[in-house]
Amino acid sequence: MKTIPIVTVVLLNYQEFSDTIDFVKKIKQQKGINLQILIVDNHSPNNSFNILLDTFKKDVTIDVIQTISNKGYATGNNFGFLYLKERKTEFILISN
């Protein structure tokens, strides 16, 4: 029996929580994959982190975390990768 691989999408957010929410809703429509989503808020100065937490708190396939400072795109993604290090995933996709 063939198992479906776990695919984790790392989505970096900075201030644009509404775009992030819309994008997550679209990628959740994918069929035939075991999809996990990690939203990394790159220390947005607005309320993005709390809005994203509240929006996705009931979805066990989505984690929302926040960096302690914004040191750019690569650092934000690396923060997400470190978070995923202890989690089971076979493929990681990066989206911004």
Side-chain angles (χ1 to χ4, degrees), residues 49-82:
F49 176 65
N50 291 322
I51 292 168
L52 293 167
L53 270 177
D54 189 54
T55 301
F56 298 115
K57 65 185 170 193
K58 293 182 181 177
D59 191 329
V60 298
T61 66
I62 301 173
D63 289 331
V64 180
I65 61 176
Q66 185 179 47
T67 60
I68 57 172
S69 64
N70 185 337
K71 294 186 179 177
Y73 179 76
T75 301
N77 284 319
N78 285 334
F79 186 79
F81 299 153
L82 286 173

Side-chain angles (χ1 to χ4, degrees), residues 8-24:
T8 302
V9 176
V10 176
L11 177 56
L12 195 62
N13 177 77
Y14 183 70
Q15 296 193 57
E16 299 296 330
F17 62 86
S18 61
D19 289 343
T20 299
I21 292 167
D22 289 343
F23 182 69
V24 167

